[in-house]
Amino acid sequence: MEKRLLLLLGLFLSSFGGSSSFGSETLRGFADLRFVLEPSDTTVMRGGLLQLDCQARSVQGAPLVAWRKDGVLLSALVDERRQQLNNGTLLVREVIHSRHHQGDEGGYQCLAWLEGVGAIVSRTAKVTVLGPVRVAVAMSTVSAYVGDTTLLRCDVIGEPTPVIRWQKDRRDIVLDPAGRAVALPSGALQFSRVQPSDAAAYRCLAEDPAEARTSTDTVLRVLPGPRSLVFLQRPSPVAALEGRDAVFECSASGYPAPSFLWTKAGSAINTRSERFALLGGSNLLIRGVRLEDAGVYRCTALNGHRNISASCELSVLAPPRFLKAPANRYAYESTDVEMECAVTGSPPPTVRWAKNGDMVVPSDYFRILDGGNLQILGLVKSDEGFYQCMAENAAGNAQVAAQLILREPGKLEKNLQHPNTAQPAHLVPSSSALPSAPCDLVPVLVSSRSVRLAWRPPEETHGKVQGYTVYFSEEGINRERSVSTSHSASSPLTVDGLKPEQPYVFRVVAYNDLGSGASSATISVTTKPECKHQLSTEGNPTRMNSEPLVYRRACCLQSAESAGHSYRFEGLRKFTQYKVRILPYNQYGLGESAGDLVLRTLSDVPSSAPQNISLEVLSSRSIKVCWLPPPADSQNGFITGYSIRHRKTGRRGDHETIEPNNLWYLFTGLDRGSQYSFQVSAMTVNGSGPPSEWHAAETPENDLDESQVPDQPSSLHVRPLATSIIVSWTPPLSHNIVVRGYIIGYGVGSPYAETVRVDSKQRYYSIDNLEPSSHYVISLKSFNNAGEGVPLYESAVTRAATDPSDPLDEDLLHLFDSFPTPIPESSTPMIPPVGVQALPLTPDSVRVSWADNSISKNQKSSEQCFYTVKWMVSYSTSGKYKTTDTTALSHTVTGLKPNTMYEFAVMVTKGRKSSTWSMTTHATTYETAPSSAPKDLTVISREGKPRAALISWQPPAEANGKITGYILFYTVDRNAPIDTWFMEAIGADRLTHQVADLSPDTTYHFRIQAKNSRGVGPLSEPVLFRTPKDPPQRRPWHPLHVLSYVFYNSSPADLPMGHLHPPPKNGLLVIVVVSVGALAVVTVVIVALICTRRSSDQQRKGRAARRSCGPPDLWIHHEEMELKSIEKPGGSAPSVCESPIQSHPEISPVGHGLSESHTGSKSRDGDDVSSSIATLEHPLAARRPTRTKLLMPMDPQPSNPGK
């Protein structure tokens, strides 16, 4: 009894932390390494600063801190933008988006470790870099009836989801949750009880901290009249975080206006309660979502005539929460240990384990049980360290850590206080006090997964044997496990959980109350092959010779024992037939079986998703989805159908389609130029299994053209062998024409001897049964329903039959062989990836996929291989390749330019070997709206047209597609909203435009934007232009003006402004004008002389002549420059004696010494006539030598006969 107390005391002391003496060994304490501050999820702008905080502590000193990104230590990646501070904080400057090579987005973890003890990692912090925002409206025009409900949709794509606001006629709308217009979480704008005043142009604006985008206008038209009840928006599934608000969108249109009723599980929901309310009169708002709120909700619209309803499901997300956390513990080598971890969350979290910061890979000795516990079998010294239970679901992730310390097995030591000293006494029993080795260890029964052992007790027990421990391990593996029994008798012991057809090594040790004794000799036992079927049954025991029988239930080579009436088998396969045989046995041996029982386990939902899902875009409005059933061992029953869920990218919710018989389904009626995602799940009578991953495809804007034959294939390559030629090719460069397939022609000297047709997706073909050492000509052409295209030719000479084979040829044959043979030598060069295909996904991304035949199916390799993808703009002479690495057989290349053809190639690297680059494939990214404005906007005035302006520009640098036109804006108020500017549409083939009817002397601002089939681009910067002033009124030129200018050499500066402009500078014109003027003067003089001679004959008519010959309108005194007004006699008519000079309305004669009194008087006698003529002759004669007077017209007034 005393010895047992000592043993219990020793074990009790071992459970305490700290450091204490225990026998000859010092018990190490736990390090208590933990995180004080863990990094949190962060969203950062491109070009901004990223800061992630992390702090860790330990009782054994300050731990070291490092950072990981997506599982890779950042210390191994050189980047000057990153800096780790002394407190563990990580800083990343000038953050890069993922569309660039190796962006800063991803999962970040903080790693803290103690030298020689272990390490732990923090939770994963998701870093999101604000990406580009894309916004579009579903329809350009929406019609609604008065009093009805209508919905204006706004599709927004951005990460994270941008903030959406709406504008009416380019003015912001102030929304009231209780008003008629409400903005829904999906971005849509809902109007209730539509009024005529709601008719307007609406647009949505999506904003995030980095940028803002504006959609095109949606015009809302309000119509009168009755209408039937229909759904505008059916409710779609919603996933909400616990404690957040959730909104189910549901709206309907009809007359009379419908009312809405929401129910859950058949019970009506009180929408006037504290937690439930109607948003916009129809949408269900749930405040502070709880876990019990999860379920199916039904929206019912009622208007008195009919009812319509639709259902949706609410999923409540709750981050992981630990119910049981692993605890620090001690353990012995060769024993098994199980570390507890129970987690709750919604959806149920995925549990992973990490050891010293590295993920634990489940194996034969590290098992993650269904509940999340970690079981370690056969502990060894290297298993010491920190273990972390890491839980993650859609709502978040969390971790908790514990430390495991191992002690050496084999000795049970006592730790006592000596009665006469305070120092502990270390009592180690000698081998003479321990049991000797057990004898005759033999296997009694061997099955595929268990071995039953028997042995004889040790010859020397040195006291009572307390029990036995059986140690076993796989042959060749140093990790040893143990199974103990407390029976003192040497009864048989069954070791379970073994592998089929695997050799194991066993030994047994006896122990008494002082410790473990010597070990028996080892034996080697090989388990039996695995049985394909299992089952369980019940039986009734009988008696033989008055002793109870023990039943053995055998299924093939599986066996189990039971002393009762029944036995339950665990871990069987679902929907599997098992055969059971019951055999009684006792100490004398086995009895006879009553026969085999054939039973089958029940069916269940499939445990895996359908395989090989592929999408084929057949037209701009249809996509074909194909798949294969789940693996046979995971169907768990008869497949009764398939559930296909699909959704349009950018919209919430999805739609479900059931296909019971086929392995494909054709979706029609899709939107053009839209991306759709699909996932497929298999169904049994028990329900649906897990869905596949989402697979995406995009419908083109327009259907491919089949009115013309396809173009020539872009390349053709041949590789001759002895009796075959391997042909490979790439499709035509034009992706706008349908290709139904390819025609391969070949023959000796002519490509038309034999032909074969292959599918349009095929890129390889092997021409077999050829003659060695022969010259073959190969042709390749594509075809469709319109006919056959232009062929491409190539020639090759097959090898001689005696030529040695090339190992690379065997690799190429794997492309066409369903059962490839392994490569015989490890030094064989690697072949590049084959079947490289590039599929554009968005305007800036292309998905590249390929197949790898460098390792055959039967070849196993421990080396990790990865693939390098390179790409550049096709046919670029100066461009450089960009590369990225991946371990998957596909990669999505992002950050590409829209509407640009790229070429892609792939290379595989395994260990230190790399293949050559694969064949190049091409893909053209989709178009998108221009991302830059037209360049070099210039505005100039038109000569002679002061009210017109000539505008010129150059196309935008980033057109992102074919330009379909330009929009010119101009205004006099630069700060006015753009929708108030004058706008003119211009064709795509013009780079100049004239704007007329402008106001003179006015400042205008001009802007221009380009557009293509996907939308309009940004506006250019405003250009300032001021129209010229209106020119002054110009009088017509007269020869006398020129004459006066020539003879008197008057300067234009001396002439009155607006009446005489400088003469033309053309000399010939001046000479002509002067000659005409001189001839006119001579004519005037001659006429004047004739009139003078005839004056004596007309003496009696002088008075009338004088009345009719009035003085000129204006006189200009050349010396004093004074204007004199002359009164005109009223009612006078021109006289026949009037001279040309006197009758000219713009010329007035000037007298050399004529005073004002003489000018203003009216003579009534006959001498006045001669005086007037003399006055005329005198200045004309005097002007020639002196040039003292200048004749000038000054604002001539036309004669008015009415005066």
Side-chain angles (χ1 to χ4, degrees), residues 195-250:
Q195 303 297 328
S197 59
D198 295 331
Y202 295 84
R203 67 176 183 176
C204 61
L205 294 84
E207 299 175 337
D208 63 15
E211 61 179 331
R213 293 284 182 177
T214 304
S215 71
T216 57
D217 288 350
T218 297
V219 178
L220 174 60
R221 298 189 304 174
V222 180
L223 307 175
R227 57 275 180 196
S228 59
L229 183 61
V230 294
F231 271 117
L232 296 177
Q233 173 67 55
R234 291 177 175 269
S236 56
V238 174
L241 284 174
E242 185 181 13
R244 300 285 183 87
D245 294 347
V247 176
F248 282 111
E249 299 181 13
C250 179

Side-chain angles (χ1 to χ4, degrees), residues 109 124 341 350-354 359-360 368 388-392:
Q109 287 180 298
T124 301
C341 182
T350 301
V351 176
R352 297 178 301 161
W353 283 83
M359 289 298 112
V360 173
I368 299 178
Q388 290 177 269
C389 179
M390 313 183 75
E392 181 179 9

